[in-house]
Amino acid sequence: MSFPQPETIGSADSIEEYVRLALGKRPQGAEVGWFFRGQCDYRWQLQAKIDRESFVRYRTTRHWDRRKHEERLLSDFQRGARPHARLEPQDPWEWLALAQHHGLATRLLDWTANPLAALYFAVEDRVAEGDSAVWCYYHSGRGWADCRNESPFCLQDIVEFRPAHLTPRITVQGGCFTAHPDPELQRPPNGGDLRKIRIPRAIRSRFRDELRRLGIDRASLFPDLDGIAYSISCHLSEGPDG
């Protein structure tokens, strides 16, 4: 199952133009806002990590289905994560959110409610070739409140998921997710509105500088020593290693 086909709504040549594009149109009667996702390569599609080629190839050679692969990944993560978790996740949904936020391959796709945070993730990479993109998505299907008693591994449609604040990163990034069923289900998209903003490669550096002056950098989005050190190194260097 996939998202609806995206509408490219423009190219942002300034922060002001980007904000206008990102916040411009909203579905009539909408009770919640949009989700935003920044990607450093405009050509990349929206795809949960569990469905990327390397993971599909791994489970294919072992004759595993997607669910078995996901459950094995999550159980191994739970075993290693419990001594380090500040708050114990209360159900498989919260465990998936925590695992996804720390890089595990899951059926979740990261979004943020903060369009400037999404723009930062789109332009953060200093060596990426080509233009970047920010995806804007308004979800009109089911939310987690409608299916919190269902297993996340049994979904038949795309579900919006706003987790509890399990980590400071989720909180400060305005983190939210969409949970995706097996793409082999071959069912039509379940509604929503998907748009894409192009970020020209030539102005990524300027956007990074302007976002930093607005208080959006890795130190603010990753409130730990790693984020602080990364931001200082970037600010006081000019090369791709900064």
Side-chain angles (χ1 to χ4, degrees):
M1 177 177 297
S2 62
F3 283 103
Q5 287 299 310
E7 172 192 359
T8 299
I9 56 175
S11 178
D13 297 316
S14 67
I15 295 286
E16 293 80 8
E17 175 66 7
Y18 168 75
V19 171
R20 185 189 70 79
L21 290 170
L23 301 181
K25 187 178 179 184
R26 175 175 170 168
Q28 187 174 4
E31 294 183 0
V32 296
W34 291 76
F35 299 157
F36 305 93
R37 176 178 172 85
Q39 295 186 164
C40 68
D41 193 321
Y42 186 84
R43 300 166 296 179
W44 289 352
Q45 298 301 307
L46 295 174
Q47 185 179 52
K49 192 172 183 179
I50 191 63
D51 295 318
R52 294 179 187 172
E53 181 181 355
S54 59
F55 292 95
V56 172
R57 189 167 58 245
Y58 182 91
R59 60 179 173 266
T60 299
T61 59
R62 287 157 178 78
H63 305 289
W64 290 3
D65 61 20
R66 185 190 194 231
R67 177 170 179 170
K68 180 175 180 178
H69 196 182
E70 291 181 276
E71 290 178 336
R72 171 63 184 273
L73 283 160
L74 187 61
S75 66
D76 285 359
F77 178 81
Q78 289 172 312
R79 187 162 48 251
R82 279 195 168 91
H84 306 283
R86 295 177 64 249
L87 296 174
E88 176 83 10
Q90 298 301 303
D91 54 39
W93 286 93
E94 291 190 357
W95 271 112
L96 275 181
L98 183 65
Q100 170 74 14
H101 212 73
H102 287 284
L104 192 75
T106 77
R107 64 174 53 205
L108 301 184
L109 196 62
D110 298 89
W111 300 83
T112 173
N114 184 340
L116 293 181
L119 180 60
Y120 173 81
F121 291 126
V123 304
E124 176 187 26
D125 192 330
R126 294 187 170 198
V127 298
E129 298 181 357
D131 296 344
S132 301
V134 172
W135 297 80
C136 313
Y137 178 58
Y138 176 78
H139 182 73
S140 62
R142 293 198 303 162
W144 177 60
D146 303 315
C147 55
R148 62 183 302 174
N149 294 323
E150 300 176 23
S151 167
F153 302 118
C154 297
L155 297 179
Q156 300 292 308
D157 51 6
I158 297 173
V159 171
E160 169 208 354
F161 177 34
R162 296 176 184 256
H165 300 313
L166 299 169
T167 73
R169 290 182 179 183
I170 291 178
T171 304
V172 300
Q173 292 176 18
C176 46
F177 304 94
T178 47
H180 296 258
D182 193 326
E184 295 183 1
L185 287 175
Q186 299 297 321
R187 294 183 56 180
N190 58 321
D193 192 346
L194 184 67
R195 300 170 186 178
K196 193 175 183 182
I197 301 172
R198 184 185 290 272
I199 310 297
R201 179 180 184 273
I203 61 173
R204 280 206 299 257
S205 176
R206 174 158 59 85
F207 273 9
R208 285 195 298 269
D209 290 341
E210 292 178 0
L211 286 170
R212 180 176 56 80
R213 290 196 291 270
L214 291 171
I216 306 294
D217 59 12
R218 183 162 280 264
S220 65
L221 297 174
F222 294 85
D224 50 32
L225 293 180
D226 290 343
I228 293 170
Y230 181 91
S231 292
I232 294 172
S233 295
C234 287
H235 180 44
L236 299 178
S237 71
E238 295 183 358
D241 296 331

